[in-house]
Amino acid sequence: MIMANVHDAEGVPDPTDFPKSIKGLRALDESLRCSICLEIFDAPMSLPCGHSFCSLCIRENILTRKECARCRKQADDFHLTKNAQLEEAALNWKIARPAVLDLITQLENAKAEAERYRARLEKGKGKASPTSDAEERDSSSRPAKRRRTSADSGDDVQSTSTAHLVAEEEEDEEEDDPHADYIPSSDVEEQSIQEDGVVVCPINNKHKTHISHINAHIDSACTAHIYRPGHRPTKHAPASTAKMKPSAKSAWNSVFQSNSRTSSRDSSSKGKSSRSPSTTSTNERLPKVSYSVQKDKKIRDLLQEHGLSLNGTREQQIARHQHYVTLYNANLDRPPAQCKSTDELRRELRKWEDSLSVKKVEITDPKAYLRKNNDHFKAQVNALNERRRLEKKAANEGNKVVHIEASEMDESPHAKDNGTEQDDIVSDSEGEREIC
Amino acid sequence: MAARGSGASTAARRLMKEYMDLTKNGSPDGMFTAGPISESDFFTWEALICGPKDTPFEGGVFLAKLTFPSDYPLSPFKMKFDPPLFHPNVYPDGTVCISILHTPGDDPTHYEQASERWSPVQCVEKVILSVVSMLAEPNLESGANIDCCKLYRDNKEEYERIVRAKVREQLEVDLGEDEAQ
């Protein structure tokens, strides 16, 4: 009961939700979590060393350190491979977790109640101690009975929630079906080789082509060498290619969209089922950019290309683009149902940028703020002017420069002095900006 | 509260998880406690660390402030003893100099191995445990308080005497404050 409260209150589920008394559950929950963000795996990727992390987490980590976060073996983007099995386990655990927690709570409630009941009986027995043997036998048999009923109720809980789980598993299987359908389709294709060597394209399942042209057909994105009954298979048909282009495109789209439509049902848990077709049509990762050799304009172009804000300094722009590329590429590692739209990615990017400036002081009324802090700003401006005057003076009296520097050096170990001085400089510039 | 939990940034969520783990599981041997100073700011923590046994720090209780960056756990947090601790690896202002809190980029002393550096799978608990073992066994190669390093190397007895005196002094100050209250 207490557990559930804490769990609800914090709203951040973690392995300690599970009691230690149930062997392995806590460890299981831990092992299905990314060791960087401590969340249940989101699009887990494996490194050659065998460690897995959320795609986004490890991609961000590789940006700063090209190593595995756990064992520090060398690692890079291209080492990352999708861990489909783990992904499935994590997705299923996400569904099962609340059910299991619920089960544990109910079990504990039942246990507590049984305990209370027994205590009450013991009390009653203590009072009525001089009663007959029969009575005593009766009371001693009752807790046992009670225990059994509590166990029964426990079983009930188990059976209902297992039924629940089973139901969900079945749903999962249904969701997997499209993929399941897809694989046998290659068998179908093999079977469907007609006597004249015409086969159905394994990519879009629509176009027919001669077996000898199947590779060329696939290489041309299913546009060339399309077989039509009555026509002899042509070797090059540029006119028909041009004609077929839109339909081929729509065929591609239909392939991807049908996939997403069938599997977007379980995305309700994340509440992010809306997808723009733009993400589905392009499945290519964004390349990394070596920002240091790019001109400012190029960086702005890069940002504009993805509809990102052009605010901030060059460094901020680079950080924004870099993070967007990471978000985008990590998003592609998600299963189609969990993929987010570019709009959502941009929203996430904004959230990330906001989180970077956590201690931002919000100024609602700039004028009032100025008035309120006017004295402070003036004092700082005066201090700055005073320091400049001193510096000039020192510059004039060449010898003294060395002396002042030396004295400053002496002071430097005192962190406090240093700190306040730095603060001054920073707030000086702020103050000036405000007043200007 | 639930809304706050789900809407928080990655860093805040991870800190909440670490805090939950520390409060529910406790620290090994109850050597330290740590948690955010206020509800509103999850990025500033306070830790109370007991001086390890069989060291001159035994019996002392040391307060440290942990400051987390907004991109935690990609970057390590900072740890500062307040009041400063007299120790070879603690700067005179109280900041702890320990390899586990350094990113591969910064190596102030050039004596650290990459394998000991910060990685995002490290956590508050592991870092504080490292600090506790650092209290017991200072690392003279990467000294932060040079005077203290010298003293430790040349006259360990005097070093231990000073540490003990400081621990006692600090405890007395605490007692005095308590009485005043």
Side-chain angles (χ1 to χ4, degrees), chain A residues 199-335:
Chain A
V199 292
V200 176
C201 166
I203 302 294
N204 60 17
N205 269 333
K206 271 185 179 172
H207 297 147
K208 288 182 177 175
T209 182
H210 196 266
I211 185 84
S212 56
H213 300 312
I214 185 72
N215 286 335
H217 171 73
I218 293 170
D219 289 345
S220 68
C222 304
T223 52
H225 303 288
I226 293 161
Y227 172 82
R228 279 179 215 85
H231 286 73
R232 275 187 60 81
T234 48
K235 275 189 178 171
H236 284 287
S240 74
T241 316
K243 240 188 257 167
M244 281 310 291
K245 245 182 182 167
S247 77
K249 207 174 181 182
S250 69
W252 273 106
N253 278 347
S254 75
V255 167
F256 285 117
Q257 274 166 0
S258 71
N259 209 351
S260 72
R261 219 182 301 129
T262 45
S263 47
S264 63
R265 260 177 295 152
D266 79 326
S267 64
S268 57
S269 60
K270 279 205 153 187
K272 281 155 185 171
S273 54
S274 66
R275 310 166 66 207
S276 79
S278 59
T279 43
T280 53
S281 55
T282 55
N283 254 356
E284 272 183 33
R285 279 169 218 290
L286 296 177
K288 275 190 175 177
V289 182
S290 38
Y291 299 99
S292 52
V293 297
Q294 304 294 348
K295 289 187 173 144
D296 289 357
K297 186 175 180 310
K298 172 76 181 160
I299 285 167
R300 281 199 297 273
D301 287 348
L302 283 170
L303 287 172
Q304 233 151 12
E305 196 182 314
H306 301 293
L308 305 177
S309 148
L310 298 176
N311 291 340
T313 60
R314 183 185 155 94
E315 282 70 34
Q316 284 170 323
Q317 287 174 352
I318 288 174
R320 186 178 304 134
H321 187 262
Q322 197 173 35
H323 193 71
Y324 184 76
V325 169
T326 319
L327 277 174
Y328 187 93
N329 289 344
N331 188 42
L332 291 182
D333 296 326
R334 291 197 174 100

Side-chain angles (χ1 to χ4, degrees), chain B residues 103-116:
Chain B
T103 54
D106 53 55
D107 185 359
T109 51
H110 299 284
Y111 271 105
E112 294 165 357
Q113 281 166 18
S115 60
E116 301 163 342

